[in-house]
PDB file of all heavy atoms in Angstrom:
ATOM      1  N   ALA Y 106      10.012  40.295   8.093  1.00 95.00           N
ATOM      2  CA  ALA Y 106      10.488  40.625   6.748  1.00 95.00           C
ATOM      3  C   ALA Y 106      11.126  39.402   6.094  1.00 95.00           C
ATOM      4  O   ALA Y 106      10.891  39.120   4.913  1.00 95.00           O
ATOM      5  CB  ALA Y 106      11.487  41.774   6.811  1.00 95.00           C
ATOM      6  N   GLU Y 107      11.925  38.664   6.852  1.00 95.00           N
ATOM      7  CA  GLU Y 107      12.570  37.453   6.324  1.00 95.00           C
ATOM      8  C   GLU Y 107      11.527  36.439   5.873  1.00 95.00           C
ATOM      9  O   GLU Y 107      11.628  35.844   4.789  1.00 95.00           O
ATOM     10  CB  GLU Y 107      13.473  36.846   7.405  1.00 95.00           C
ATOM     11  CG  GLU Y 107      14.688  37.696   7.732  1.00 95.00           C
ATOM     12  CD  GLU Y 107      15.275  37.430   9.110  1.00 95.00           C
ATOM     13  OE1 GLU Y 107      14.866  36.445   9.763  1.00 95.00           O
ATOM     14  OE2 GLU Y 107      16.146  38.207   9.540  1.00 95.00           O
ATOM     15  N   ASP Y 108      10.511  36.255   6.697  1.00 94.00           N
ATOM     16  CA  ASP Y 108       9.447  35.302   6.375  1.00 94.00           C
ATOM     17  C   ASP Y 108       8.634  35.759   5.176  1.00 94.00           C
ATOM     18  O   ASP Y 108       8.293  34.965   4.299  1.00 94.00           O
ATOM     19  CB  ASP Y 108       8.533  35.136   7.594  1.00 94.00           C
ATOM     20  CG  ASP Y 108       7.414  34.141   7.358  1.00 94.00           C
ATOM     21  OD1 ASP Y 108       7.697  32.940   7.223  1.00 94.00           O
ATOM     22  OD2 ASP Y 108       6.249  34.574   7.282  1.00 94.00           O
ATOM     23  N   ALA Y 109       8.363  37.059   5.109  1.00 93.00           N
ATOM     24  CA  ALA Y 109       7.553  37.593   4.017  1.00 93.00           C
ATOM     25  C   ALA Y 109       8.275  37.495   2.685  1.00 93.00           C
ATOM     26  O   ALA Y 109       7.668  37.149   1.663  1.00 93.00           O
ATOM     27  CB  ALA Y 109       7.175  39.047   4.301  1.00 93.00           C
ATOM     28  N   VAL Y 110       9.567  37.812   2.660  1.00 93.00           N
ATOM     29  CA  VAL Y 110      10.330  37.742   1.409  1.00 93.00           C
ATOM     30  C   VAL Y 110      10.347  36.309   0.892  1.00 93.00           C
ATOM     31  O   VAL Y 110      10.264  36.065  -0.315  1.00 93.00           O
ATOM     32  CB  VAL Y 110      11.764  38.275   1.614  1.00 93.00           C
ATOM     33  CG1 VAL Y 110      12.621  37.998   0.380  1.00 93.00           C
ATOM     34  CG2 VAL Y 110      11.725  39.775   1.876  1.00 93.00           C
ATOM     35  N   LYS Y 111      10.430  35.349   1.802  1.00 91.00           N
ATOM     36  CA  LYS Y 111      10.410  33.933   1.416  1.00 91.00           C
ATOM     37  C   LYS Y 111       9.118  33.600   0.667  1.00 91.00           C
ATOM     38  O   LYS Y 111       9.131  32.920  -0.358  1.00 91.00           O
ATOM     39  CB  LYS Y 111      10.522  33.060   2.663  1.00 91.00           C
ATOM     40  CG  LYS Y 111      10.639  31.570   2.385  1.00 91.00           C
ATOM     41  CD  LYS Y 111      10.595  30.769   3.685  1.00 91.00           C
ATOM     42  CE  LYS Y 111      11.661  31.244   4.648  1.00 91.00           C
ATOM     43  NZ  LYS Y 111      11.624  30.514   5.946  1.00 91.00           N
ATOM     44  N   GLU Y 112       8.006  34.094   1.169  1.00 89.00           N
ATOM     45  CA  GLU Y 112       6.713  33.798   0.561  1.00 89.00           C
ATOM     46  C   GLU Y 112       6.451  34.642  -0.688  1.00 89.00           C
ATOM     47  O   GLU Y 112       5.692  34.233  -1.573  1.00 89.00           O
ATOM     48  CB  GLU Y 112       5.596  34.041   1.575  1.00 89.00           C
ATOM     49  CG  GLU Y 112       5.627  33.082   2.765  1.00 89.00           C
ATOM     50  CD  GLU Y 112       4.411  33.236   3.661  1.00 89.00           C
ATOM     51  OE1 GLU Y 112       3.356  33.636   3.139  1.00 89.00           O
ATOM     52  OE2 GLU Y 112       4.523  32.958   4.866  1.00 89.00           O
ATOM     53  N   ALA Y 113       7.084  35.802  -0.751  1.00 88.00           N
ATOM     54  CA  ALA Y 113       6.762  36.739  -1.832  1.00 88.00           C
ATOM     55  C   ALA Y 113       7.782  36.746  -2.967  1.00 88.00           C
ATOM     56  O   ALA Y 113       7.583  37.453  -3.949  1.00 88.00           O
ATOM     57  CB  ALA Y 113       6.638  38.156  -1.263  1.00 88.00           C
ATOM     58  N   THR Y 114       8.844  35.945  -2.863  1.00 90.00           N
ATOM     59  CA  THR Y 114       9.849  35.917  -3.935  1.00 90.00           C
ATOM     60  C   THR Y 114       9.234  35.660  -5.310  1.00 90.00           C
ATOM     61  O   THR Y 114       9.623  36.296  -6.302  1.00 90.00           O
ATOM     62  CB  THR Y 114      10.943  34.881  -3.632  1.00 90.00           C
ATOM     63  OG1 THR Y 114      11.642  35.274  -2.443  1.00 90.00           O
ATOM     64  CG2 THR Y 114      11.950  34.781  -4.769  1.00 90.00           C
ATOM     65  N   PRO Y 115       8.257  34.735  -5.439  1.00 91.00           N
ATOM     66  CA  PRO Y 115       7.629  34.537  -6.753  1.00 91.00           C
ATOM     67  C   PRO Y 115       7.005  35.810  -7.333  1.00 91.00           C
ATOM     68  O   PRO Y 115       6.938  35.963  -8.553  1.00 91.00           O
ATOM     69  CB  PRO Y 115       6.549  33.485  -6.473  1.00 91.00           C
ATOM     70  CG  PRO Y 115       7.061  32.736  -5.294  1.00 91.00           C
ATOM     71  CD  PRO Y 115       7.744  33.774  -4.448  1.00 91.00           C
ATOM     72  N   ILE Y 116       6.569  36.718  -6.455  1.00 92.00           N
ATOM     73  CA  ILE Y 116       6.004  37.987  -6.914  1.00 92.00           C
ATOM     74  C   ILE Y 116       7.064  38.774  -7.675  1.00 92.00           C
ATOM     75  O   ILE Y 116       6.810  39.334  -8.746  1.00 92.00           O
ATOM     76  CB  ILE Y 116       5.484  38.822  -5.718  1.00 92.00           C
ATOM     77  CG1 ILE Y 116       4.315  38.104  -5.035  1.00 92.00           C
ATOM     78  CG2 ILE Y 116       5.058  40.220  -6.186  1.00 92.00           C
ATOM     79  CD1 ILE Y 116       3.845  38.792  -3.756  1.00 92.00           C
ATOM     80  N   PHE Y 117       8.281  38.799  -7.135  1.00 91.00           N
ATOM     81  CA  PHE Y 117       9.367  39.535  -7.772  1.00 91.00           C
ATOM     82  C   PHE Y 117       9.779  38.869  -9.083  1.00 91.00           C
ATOM     83  O   PHE Y 117      10.064  39.546 -10.068  1.00 91.00           O
ATOM     84  CB  PHE Y 117      10.571  39.620  -6.834  1.00 91.00           C
ATOM     85  CG  PHE Y 117      10.322  40.503  -5.650  1.00 91.00           C
ATOM     86  CD1 PHE Y 117       9.968  39.972  -4.427  1.00 91.00           C
ATOM     87  CD2 PHE Y 117      10.420  41.883  -5.762  1.00 91.00           C
ATOM     88  CE1 PHE Y 117       9.729  40.784  -3.331  1.00 91.00           C
ATOM     89  CE2 PHE Y 117      10.184  42.700  -4.674  1.00 91.00           C
ATOM     90  CZ  PHE Y 117       9.838  42.152  -3.460  1.00 91.00           C
TER      91      PHE Y 117
END
Side-chain angles (χ1 to χ4, degrees):
E107 292 157 10
D108 181 68
V110 171
K111 185 186 305 178
E112 294 187 28
T114 296
I116 295 174
F117 291 99

